[in-house]
Every structure is written in C-alpha cells, then in structure tokens.
Amino acid sequence: MRVLGINAIFHDPAAALVVDGQVVAAAEEERFSRRKHGKRPVPFAAWELPELAAAWCLEEAGLRPGDLDAVAYSFDPGLSRDAASLGLNDPWDHLRVDYARRAPQFLGAALPGLDPEQVRFVPHHVAHAASAGLSVPEDSAVLVLDGRGEVASHLAGAYRGGELEVLKCQELPHSLGLLYEDLTRHLGFLHSSDEYKVMALASYGRPRFLNVFRDLVRTTDDGGFTVERIDWDALAKARTADGEMTEAHADLASSVQTRLEEVLLDLARWTYEAAGGPKTLTMAGGTALNCVANARIAAEGPYERVWVQPAAGDSGTALGAALAVTGRNVPFTTAALGRGWTDDELEAELRRAGLPYTRPESIAAEAARVLAANGIVAWYQGRSEYGPRALGHRSLLAHPGDADTQTRMNDVKGREQFRPIAPMVRAERFDDIFEGVNPSPYMLFVHRVKPEWKDRIPAVTHVDGTARVQTVHTGTEPLVAEMLAEFERLTELPVVVNTSLNTAGRPMVDTPREAMELFGSAPVDLLAIGPFAVHRATAFQK
Ligand SMILES: [Fe+2]
C-alpha cells in the first residue's frame, strides 16, 4: 500500500510517504522553499500545499501520483465548527475549512495524475496520535498535546494492535499549546515558532506567578483541563521583539513552564489509568517538543518508557496521517528521512563551486581533529532530518570544553545568547556524564549533568545544570559515533556540541549548495561534506 501524507492546514507543511509498511521519505516544505516553517500559520495560507516536498517524496520512491493508493490529509473539515462557537477569536478561520474541503482538487492540480478521490481526511489529532503511537512496535498510551486541531487541543488515547481508542479530547478554547503561544507572543517572540526560546528563558526565572497559573490552568477529573483568560500585562508588561528582557519576563516564562509541567504530569497519569496501565507512553503535538516537560513526565510519571515523535509539531502529521491510513505499527528507526546526495554528486558540487577539497582517510577523524583544536565544523552527512532537530546529519559541531563556545556558536548563527546549545554523546558513555532518559537519540528530553562534569563541558551545561542530550548509537549512526570516539581519544571528552546547520531565521541547510553557502558566510573552520573535507584555512586563498 502506497500512502502519501500531507500536512498543510496550520503550520510546518510537510509530506511523507509510506510504502508497504516502510517510511520511504518525509520532509518539511521549508527545506525546499527555504522559507522557515513553510508559511505563516494564518487562515489565508491554509490552501498552500507542500508541493515540493510531496513531489520529492514520490520521486525518491520512483512513483508517480497515479501510483498512490491514498493521500492522507491531516485535517478533517467535516469535524470543524464555527470559530466563535469554539471560543476562538479568529474571524477568518472558516477559510481553513473551505480550503481543506477543496484540498483534494488542489492536490490533484499540484500532483498531476492524482485522482482527487484518493484523498482521505484524517482528523488532525488522530494524525498526531498515529505519528507517535504507530511509530513504536508495542501497544502504548498516547497523548497529543497541541495548540489546536479541528475542535480540540488535546487527545488522550490508547493504541492496541494498531487500533486507536480515544479516551478523552479537550475541546477548545482550552488549549495548553495556545497558552504557550500567547506567552511567546507576549514575550516578543514569534508564536508557533519560538516557543523553545521561552522554554530556555524559563530556566533563568523563578516561578513567582505559579499560584496565579495554578488557579487559571486546572485539570479536570475526566482527563481534560481548563485554561481561563489570562491578563498577561498584569503580570509582566508585553515585550516588543527588540525590547529589553526583564526579570519579570523570565519569571513569567518560568511560572507558565512550571504549571505546564504539572498539568502534563496530571494528564499523563490520568491517561495511564484510563488506558489500563500500559508500559509505554507515546507523545506528539507541538507541546511535546517541550523537552523539560518531557523529562519530568519520564522521571515522575508512571510509565517505563516515554517515546516522543521527533517531528512532534504539525510537520509530523504528514507521517501520522499516512500511518493512520496504513493502519499498522511502523517502527520509527531514524529521523534521516529527507534528501541525501551520493558521494559523486557531492564531489561534482564541490568542483562546480571551485572549492579546494580533500578526501581524507576518515572524515570522522578529520572533523574530530578540527574540533579538538577548538574549531567549528559544518557536518553534512547522509539524508537530512525530518523534524526540527539536527541529529548529526545537518549539524554544526564544536568543542564542549570551552565556555566561549556557546557565544561563538550563537554568533555564527546570529541568535540570542541565552539560547543553550546541546551535546551529543556516545551512548556507551551517557551514564558517566548525565542522568535522565537514555536512550535519547532525538533530543527530546533534558538531562542533568553530573556535578563532576559541569566544569568539563561548560558549553553545553545550561544555567540550571541541565543539558538536552542526543545519545549516539553506533548501530544507527556509525559515522557520528566514530567522530565522537575519535574526539574522545584526542580530548578525553566523549561529548561534542551539536546545533542545527543553519543561520538564525533560516531553515536548516538541506542541499550541498546551501551547506557551501553557510560555510562561505560564517566563521566555520571545516566543512565535512560526505567523505570530503574543505578547510577554511585553504578554501578562500586564490
Ligand atoms: Fe497540530
């Protein structure tokens, strides 16, 4: 069965292709269009489809649109209701529903040869749920923690034998995702985009408004919750995008973050009981990218294992919709589902750019040497990642032992200095250095850095003593593991700084040309692209 999944309705348009129980390809439209998040999440843009990502998925599999058995679209306009009746102040929301109804025709036009009759609407939160629950081999409880779908903001359920039983959906306007978006906007950041900055900011504050939020945001006995209207200005004055960040702003972020964690723990516990005590919890939805909350659920919740879909935001509903139509568990084994280039293709690109390159015996060892000498490495290997995290395929790497690394990396990228940078660690060495969820191959949890290591890896230790760790496993990421092992041999540090290969406000690098553009425009010492090495010291001498 060949199913193409499409996410288009809110933000992060994406496409994913599942063929005979295998995820063949999945990618966000932003990696093709070079527009961060693909589009702004406004009703006027709801018609825009991930045309480039969808066409590439088919090309990757050697399929034509007419070969598909189904196209799964991650929103069901039949479930929608008038925005005012949902308590939403969005007079143009009906455009979303109109565009979604016409999506089969739009898709037919975007993918010539596709029969619009093949398009199936999958409820938004069923798509999120499937992206998590059908991505693990075992039965699980599932929590979707979102801004909004058709009429709800959350879904609690149980997957048994590939079948979803919905236990509870919290209807709008009550929404933890929209609460966090409102906070993001109030703090002068871009909502539906910069929520992770708010999470980072929270650790600089004290939760001194916690009691206010305990009053305004409450769980209910039936597995749902209520969010009352919040007078943000009464707590801390709204900040403009370039305004000063005050202690009150950090305290506000800290208060909402803490209350969110408490509420999510309650929801996770309720779902455990209602689902009959399964060992595994799976999660998706934009709020499930909150790795601080995820770590608390894993540590304090009743589950043995918590698995979060790496593309937890709306982009993941492309995969989830396809899985929901496929109707079976398709274990998620790698996020490297995007575009890749052969060595010959990479070499042709380097030649065309006129960059002097070498092909060292081991690109991993070459990168480790540059890192050990405190250089910055643009690491471009294999297929690009599906979801917002760089996981060793489109990564910017640096030495973790230099406290200035964070400033240098944030300067390279041109982003805020309070933003932490994250470590990748060889899985075998995790327990020596960190505490918390292991394995953590997709960077979806925060971990505690053991006290004796804080001074040894200051660049990746956040102000609160935590780090958002990616564990690297030789079986799935042999080249990254080799690089880490070589770096440890040179420095006795089994950890390397890993952040996404992009500059601020731009999508992650996807093509070789974009990798070279970044290398040319930022103070990066080595471009490690496939097996080839381009050193800054020699690249621009003519
Ligand atoms: Fe969503």
Side-chain angles (χ1 to χ4, degrees):
M1 192 180 188
R2 299 155 170 174
V3 186
L4 179 70
I6 296 286
N7 172 57
I9 197 76
F10 297 112
H11 34 73
D12 295 300
L17 183 63
V18 178
V19 177
D20 298 333
Q22 287 242 321
V23 186
V24 175
E28 283 104 337
E29 184 74 359
E30 66 164 26
R31 309 293 163 86
F32 298 82
S33 70
R34 309 311 298 161
R35 189 177 175 205
K36 185 98 169 159
H37 297 298
K39 60 182 174 185
R40 286 304 294 149
V42 293
F44 311 98
W47 67 271
E48 286 182 45
L49 295 165
E51 294 184 26
L52 299 169
W56 170 76
C57 284
L58 291 171
E59 190 190 312
E60 179 70 11
L63 296 178
R64 287 168 305 180
D67 298 331
L68 292 167
D69 296 303
V71 175
Y73 182 89
S74 62
F75 185 87
D76 184 349
L79 299 175
S80 289
R81 294 209 308 265
D82 175 62
S85 78
L86 294 168
L88 298 178
N89 180 21
D90 194 346
W92 297 104
D93 192 55
H94 61 88
L95 285 177
R96 286 200 178 94
V97 184
D98 285 350
Y99 290 145
R101 283 210 180 94
R102 290 166 174 76
Q105 285 72 38
F106 290 166
L107 281 160
L111 301 170
L114 177 78
D115 178 359
E117 296 284 316
Q118 301 275 42
V119 178
R120 298 200 213 163
F121 295 119
V122 177
H124 188 70
H125 290 152
V126 171
H128 270 307
S131 77
L134 293 181
S135 285
V136 298
E138 70 269 31
D139 291 348
S140 68
V142 62
L143 265 179
V144 174
L145 305 163
D146 204 17
R148 62 166 295 195
E150 292 85 355
V151 296
S153 72
H154 139 282
L155 179 152
Y159 269 102
R160 296 185 195 93
E163 291 276 330
L164 173 67
E165 180 193 354
V166 177
L167 301 167
K168 170 72 185 173
C169 293
Q170 178 56 55
E171 279 211 0
L172 295 164
H174 306 287
S175 169
L176 300 169
L178 294 182
L179 169 75
Y180 219 85
E181 283 190 17
D182 285 349
L183 170 67
T184 302
R185 198 185 288 114
H186 190 74
L187 293 176
F189 297 115
L190 193 60
H191 73 89
S192 306
S193 171
D194 291 349
E195 280 69 19
Y196 61 104
K197 297 183 187 176
V198 175
M199 191 187 70
L201 179 67
S203 53
Y204 287 85
R206 286 179 304 117
R208 69 178 153 110
F209 307 116
L210 183 55
N211 282 339
V212 175
F213 287 97
R214 280 182 175 152
D215 207 37
L216 294 171
V217 186
R218 290 168 179 270
T219 47
T220 51
D221 293 340
D222 60 354
F225 51 87
T226 56
V227 182
E228 302 301 323
R229 184 168 286 283
I230 289 155
D231 183 357
W232 296 100
D233 272 317
L235 301 169
K237 284 265 172 296
R239 174 182 170 264
T240 55
D242 51 3
E244 190 198 351
M245 188 71 74
T246 65
E247 200 177 292
H249 293 133
D251 290 348
L252 185 60
S254 170
S255 306
V256 176
Q257 172 68 31
T258 306
R259 185 58 188 145
L260 177 76
E261 292 164 20
E262 292 174 348
V263 168
L264 294 188
L265 260 170
D266 279 354
L267 296 178
R269 289 183 181 122
W270 182 90
T271 308
Y272 179 79
E273 297 298 330
K279 289 182 178 163
T280 300
L281 172 68
T282 57
M283 297 200 290
T287 305
L289 289 171
N290 193 304
C291 47
V292 177
N294 294 351
R296 271 195 76 177
I297 293 169
E300 298 172 44
Y303 302 92
E304 284 179 24
R305 173 164 117 102
V306 177
W307 191 89
V308 183
Q309 163 57 239
D314 273 3
S315 64
T317 65
L319 174 60
L323 292 177
V325 167
T326 303
R328 57 189 260 201
N329 294 61
V330 177
F332 191 95
T333 54
T334 176
L337 297 164
R339 281 189 287 183
W341 277 260
T342 65
D343 293 351
D344 287 347
E345 288 168 335
L346 294 176
E347 191 163 21
E349 292 278 346
L350 288 166
R351 282 218 182 98
R352 190 170 64 182
L355 280 175
Y357 62 90
T358 57
R359 185 173 186 149
E361 198 175 309
S362 160
I363 191 66
E366 186 92 351
R369 274 194 293 278
V370 172
L371 293 169
N374 211 12
I376 292 180
V377 173
W379 178 258
Y380 181 102
Q381 302 293 339
R383 295 175 69 171
S384 56
E385 297 90 344
Y386 180 48
R389 306 269 193 262
L391 300 165
H393 290 247
R394 302 288 184 273
S395 287
L396 206 53
L397 309 176
H399 198 301
D402 181 354
D404 288 338
T405 295
Q406 179 169 354
T407 312
R408 281 167 65 216
M409 293 291 260
N410 285 339
D411 280 346
V412 166
K413 297 173 64 118
R415 61 182 209 174
E416 297 88 347
Q417 289 303 342
F418 64 83
R419 299 268 303 282
I421 47 178
M424 41 169 56
V425 61
R426 293 172 64 206
E428 305 89 306
R429 299 284 272 120
F430 175 92
D431 287 332
D432 299 333
I433 305 155
F434 303 105
E435 291 167 7
V437 176
N438 178 26
S440 174
Y442 305 121
M443 288 174 77
L444 291 159
F445 302 90
V446 292
H447 302 82
R448 293 214 71 77
V449 182
K450 289 192 172 173
E452 62 271 30
W453 277 89
K454 280 181 186 162
D455 292 340
R456 296 188 67 187
I457 51 171
V460 294
T461 306
H462 197 35
V463 60
D464 58 0
T466 64
R468 191 179 64 186
V469 177
Q470 178 192 357
T471 54
V472 174
H473 306 260
T474 308
T476 45
E477 294 291 347
L479 194 66
V480 183
E482 186 189 338
M483 180 271 296
L484 285 166
E486 189 60 23
F487 182 76
E488 182 174 9
R489 204 179 61 75
L490 296 171
T491 63
E492 297 183 351
L493 298 173
V495 171
V496 161
V497 170
N498 167 35
T499 178
S500 54
L501 189 59
N502 65 337
T503 47
R506 295 198 173 89
M508 262 198 271
V509 157
D510 208 64
T511 67
R513 175 171 286 236
E514 288 148 19
M516 291 186 286
E517 284 171 355
L518 185 143
F519 177 68
S521 66
V524 171
D525 298 288
L526 171 70
L527 172 62
I529 182 165
F532 306 105
V534 187
H535 287 269
R536 169 158 239 91
T538 52
F540 302 115
Q541 289 176 349
K542 265 263 159 90

